[in-house]
Amino acid sequence: MARPLDVLNNALNSPVIVRLKGGREFRGSLRGYDMHMNLVLDNAEEIRDGEIVKTLGTVIIRGDTIVFISP
Amino acid sequence: MARPLDVLNNALNSPVIVRLKGGREFRGSLRGYDMHMNLVLDNAEEIRDGEIVKTLGTVIIRGDTIVFISP
Amino acid sequence: MARPLDVLNNALNSPVIVRLKGGREFRGSLRGYDMHMNLVLDNAEEIRDGEIVKTLGTVIIRGDTIVFISP
Amino acid sequence: MARPLDVLNNALNSPVIVRLKGGREFRGSLRGYDMHMNLVLDNAEEIRDGEIVKTLGTVIIRGDTIVFISP
Amino acid sequence: MARPLDVLNNALNSPVIVRLKGGREFRGSLRGYDMHMNLVLDNAEEIRDGEIVKTLGTVIIRGDTIVFISP
Amino acid sequence: MARPLDVLNNALNSPVIVRLKGGREFRGSLRGYDMHMNLVLDNAEEIRDGEIVKTLGTVIIRGDTIVFISP
Amino acid sequence: MARPLDVLNNALNSPVIVRLKGGREFRGSLRGYDMHMNLVLDNAEEIRDGEIVKTLGTVIIRGDTIVFISP
C-alpha cells in the first residue's frame, strides 16, 4: 500500500500540481509538507484556466484548502 | 459488519470511483489511504458530466473533500 | 434512550435512506459504519428529485456530508 | 444553570423542533442523542415553509447540521 | 481580563441577543451554556430584519452557528 | 517573535478592529479572549461599508468567524 | 525537507504575501505565528485587485482563513 504521506515524501524536490477548492491550481517543486498536508512549493506558479496568472517563488499552501496533489 | 476502512482495504489495487463535494469525480486504481480517508489513486482520471477532462497519473485526494467512494 | 450509533447498529443489513448536504439522497442496504458515521451501503442508488440517477453497488459515504439517516 | 445536554435529556420522549442549516426543519419525538448532539427522532416529519414535505419514521440527524433544537 | 465564558456566566438569567451565521438573530433569557458555547435560551424569539418571526419558548442553539452573543 | 495571543494580550483594554467572514466588522475595546480567539469587546459597534449599523455594548465574538483582528 | 513552520520561521521580520479564502490579500512584515498558522503582520496592507484598499498597522490573521503564504 502507498500511504498518502509516503507518496508526498517520494515527491520531494519534484514538480507537483496542487488543485485547491474553488478551482485554483498551483504548480511548483515540492520542498516540504507536514502531517496536515500543508505544503511548501518552490518556483510556484498560480494557474487559472490553464494560464499562469502569478509566479510566486516559495509558497506555503494550507492543507485544508487542497482538493488533490498530483506528483 | 463491513467497516468503511475495511471496505477501502479490500478495494486496494482495484478501480474506484470517488465523488467530491461540488460534483467532481475521479476514477482510478486505489493504491493507498489513511485514517482520514485521504486516498492515493493511480491512473487517475477527472470526470465532469461523464466526460474525462483530465488524466492525472498518480493523485493524492484529500479525504475532507470526498462525498463517496465506490469500489 | 436510543443513542444514534445504537440505532445505526440495529439498522445493519436493512434498507436506509441517507440525505446529504446539497440535497442528494442515497438508498441502499446498510453494511457498516464507524464512529464518524461514515457508512457502507450495498446495492446503493443515488436519488435526485425522487428519480434514481445512478446505481452504485457498494459505496462508502463520508459522515461529514450527511444530514440525516433514516432506517 | 440548565446545560444544553441536560435540556436535551429532559426532552426525551417529548416532541422537539429541529432547525437545520439551510432552513430545513424536522419535528418528531426525541428518542436519543449523543455528546455531538446527533439526535434520534421518532415519527419524524420534514417541514419546509410550514408544510410537511416528508414523513420519515425514525431518523438520525447529524449534530453538525443543526442550528437549534426547541423542546 | 474578562474571559468569554466568564462573561456568559455573568449573563445567566439575563436577556441576551445571539446573532447567527446567515444573519438570523435570537433573543431570550440565557439559562445555560457549555464549553462549546452551545446555549440554552428561555422565552426565545427569532428575529429577522428587526421583526419577531417566531416565538420558541426554550431553545438550544449550537455554538458553531453563532457569530456573536451580546448580554 | 510576537505570537498572536501575546499581541492580543498587549491589546487588552485598547480599541481593536475585528473583521468577520462575510465582511462584517466590529470595533470596540478588547476586554478578554481565550485560546480559540473568542473575544470580548466593550462599547462594541458593528460597521458595514464604513457606517455604524449597530451599537452593542458588550459582545462575545466567536473566534471561528474572525478573519483578522487589528489592535 | 523544508517544513511549513520552518519556512515561516525563516520569514520572520521579512515581507510576506498572504492570500485569504474569497480572494483577499494582505502584505506586511511577518512578526509572529503559532502552530495553527495564525499570523502577526506589521505594516499590513489589504489588497484587492492589485490595489491597496486599507492600511492596518499590526494585524492578527486567523490561520483557517489562509490559502497561501508567500515569503
Side-chain angles (χ1 to χ4, degrees):
Chain A
M1 175 156 71
R3 297 224 175 251
L5 291 183
D6 296 342
V7 174
L8 273 185
N9 201 59
N10 289 336
L12 280 172
N13 302 313
S14 302
V16 295
I17 299 172
V18 183
R19 175 85 60 84
L20 302 191
K21 290 171 189 168
R24 272 176 226 140
E25 204 165 290
F26 287 84
R27 297 170 192 237
S29 177
L30 182 65
R31 292 303 306 279
Y33 63 90
D34 62 23
M35 55 169 291
H36 306 292
M37 281 203 197
N38 299 315
L39 305 181
V40 179
L41 301 190
D42 266 358
N43 301 315
E45 295 168 337
E46 184 178 359
I47 314 281
R48 281 194 214 164
D49 303 319
E51 307 269 314
I52 297 172
V53 294
K54 204 164 194 174
T55 55
L56 281 154
T58 298
V59 70
I60 300 166
I61 300 177
R62 294 258 318 173
D64 63 3
T65 69
I66 294 174
V67 174
F68 71 75
I69 305 157
S70 185
Chain B
M1 175 156 69
R3 296 226 176 250
L5 290 183
D6 296 342
V7 175
L8 273 185
N9 201 59
N10 288 337
L12 280 172
N13 302 313
S14 302
V16 295
I17 299 172
V18 183
R19 175 85 60 83
L20 302 192
K21 290 171 188 167
R24 272 177 225 140
E25 204 166 291
F26 287 84
R27 297 171 192 237
S29 177
L30 182 65
R31 292 304 306 279
Y33 62 91
D34 61 23
M35 55 169 292
H36 306 293
M37 281 203 198
N38 299 316
L39 305 181
V40 179
L41 301 189
D42 266 358
N43 302 315
E45 294 167 338
E46 183 177 359
I47 314 281
R48 281 195 214 163
D49 304 318
E51 308 268 315
I52 297 172
V53 295
K54 203 164 195 174
T55 55
L56 280 154
T58 298
V59 70
I60 300 166
I61 300 176
R62 295 257 318 174
D64 63 3
T65 69
I66 294 175
V67 174
F68 71 75
I69 305 158
S70 184
Chain C
M1 176 157 66
R3 295 225 176 251
L5 291 183
D6 296 341
V7 174
L8 272 185
N9 201 59
N10 289 336
L12 280 172
N13 302 312
S14 303
V16 294
I17 299 171
V18 183
R19 176 84 61 83
L20 302 192
K21 289 170 188 168
R24 272 176 225 141
E25 204 166 290
F26 286 85
R27 297 171 191 238
S29 177
L30 182 65
R31 293 304 305 279
Y33 63 90
D34 62 22
M35 55 168 291
H36 306 293
M37 282 204 198
N38 299 315
L39 304 181
V40 180
L41 301 189
D42 265 359
N43 301 315
E45 294 167 338
E46 183 177 1
I47 314 282
R48 281 194 214 164
D49 303 319
E51 308 268 314
I52 298 173
V53 295
K54 202 164 196 173
T55 55
L56 281 154
T58 298
V59 69
I60 300 165
I61 300 177
R62 295 257 318 174
D64 63 3
T65 69
I66 294 175
V67 175
F68 72 74
I69 305 158
S70 184
Chain D
M1 176 157 67
R3 296 225 176 251
L5 290 183
D6 296 342
V7 175
L8 272 185
N9 202 58
N10 289 337
L12 279 172
N13 301 313
S14 303
V16 294
I17 299 172
V18 183
R19 176 83 62 81
L20 302 192
K21 289 171 188 168
R24 271 175 227 141
E25 204 166 291
F26 287 85
R27 296 171 191 237
S29 177
L30 182 65
R31 294 303 306 279
Y33 63 90
D34 62 22
M35 55 169 291
H36 306 293
M37 282 205 198
N38 299 314
L39 305 181
V40 179
L41 301 189
D42 265 359
N43 302 314
E45 294 167 338
E46 184 178 0
I47 314 282
R48 281 193 215 164
D49 303 320
E51 307 268 315
I52 298 173
V53 296
K54 203 165 195 172
T55 55
L56 281 154
T58 298
V59 69
I60 301 164
I61 300 177
R62 295 257 318 172
D64 63 2
T65 70
I66 295 174
V67 174
F68 71 74
I69 305 158
S70 185
Chain E
M1 176 157 69
R3 295 225 176 252
L5 291 183
D6 296 342
V7 175
L8 273 184
N9 201 59
N10 289 337
L12 280 171
N13 302 313
S14 303
V16 294
I17 299 172
V18 183
R19 177 84 61 82
L20 302 192
K21 289 171 189 168
R24 269 175 228 141
E25 203 165 292
F26 287 85
R27 297 172 191 235
S29 176
L30 183 65
R31 293 303 307 279
Y33 62 90
D34 63 22
M35 55 170 291
H36 306 292
M37 281 204 197
N38 299 315
L39 304 181
V40 180
L41 301 189
D42 266 358
N43 302 314
E45 295 167 337
E46 184 178 359
I47 314 281
R48 281 193 215 165
D49 303 320
E51 307 268 314
I52 298 173
V53 296
K54 203 166 195 172
T55 55
L56 281 154
T58 297
V59 70
I60 301 163
I61 301 177
R62 295 256 319 173
D64 63 2
T65 70
I66 295 175
V67 175
F68 71 75
I69 305 159
S70 185
Chain F
M1 175 156 70
R3 296 226 176 249
L5 291 183
D6 296 342
V7 174
L8 273 185
N9 201 60
N10 289 336
L12 279 171
N13 302 313
S14 304
V16 294
I17 299 171
V18 183
R19 175 85 61 83
L20 302 192
K21 290 171 188 168
R24 270 176 228 141
E25 204 166 292
F26 287 85
R27 297 172 191 236
S29 176
L30 183 65
R31 293 303 305 280
Y33 63 90
D34 63 23
M35 56 170 291
H36 306 293
M37 281 204 198
N38 299 315
L39 304 181
V40 179
L41 302 189
D42 266 357
N43 301 315
E45 296 168 335
E46 184 178 359
I47 313 281
R48 281 194 214 164
D49 303 321
E51 307 269 314
I52 297 173
V53 294
K54 203 165 194 171
T55 55
L56 280 154
T58 298
V59 69
I60 301 165
I61 300 177
R62 295 256 319 172
D64 63 2
T65 69
I66 295 175
V67 175
F68 71 74
I69 304 158
S70 185
Chain G
M1 175 157 69
R3 296 225 176 250
L5 291 183
D6 296 343
V7 174
L8 273 185
N9 202 61
N10 289 337
L12 280 172
N13 302 313
S14 303
V16 294
I17 299 171
V18 182
R19 174 86 60 83
L20 302 192
K21 290 171 188 168
R24 271 176 227 141
E25 204 165 290
F26 287 85
R27 297 171 192 237
S29 177
L30 183 65
R31 292 303 306 280
Y33 62 90
D34 62 23
M35 57 169 290
H36 306 293
M37 281 204 198
N38 299 315
L39 304 181
V40 179
L41 301 189
D42 266 358
N43 301 315
E45 296 168 334
E46 184 178 359
I47 314 281
R48 280 193 215 164
D49 303 321
E51 307 269 315
I52 297 173
V53 294
K54 204 165 195 172
T55 55
L56 281 153
T58 297
V59 69
I60 300 165
I61 300 176
R62 294 256 319 172
D64 63 2
T65 69
I66 295 174
V67 175
F68 70 74
I69 305 158
S70 185

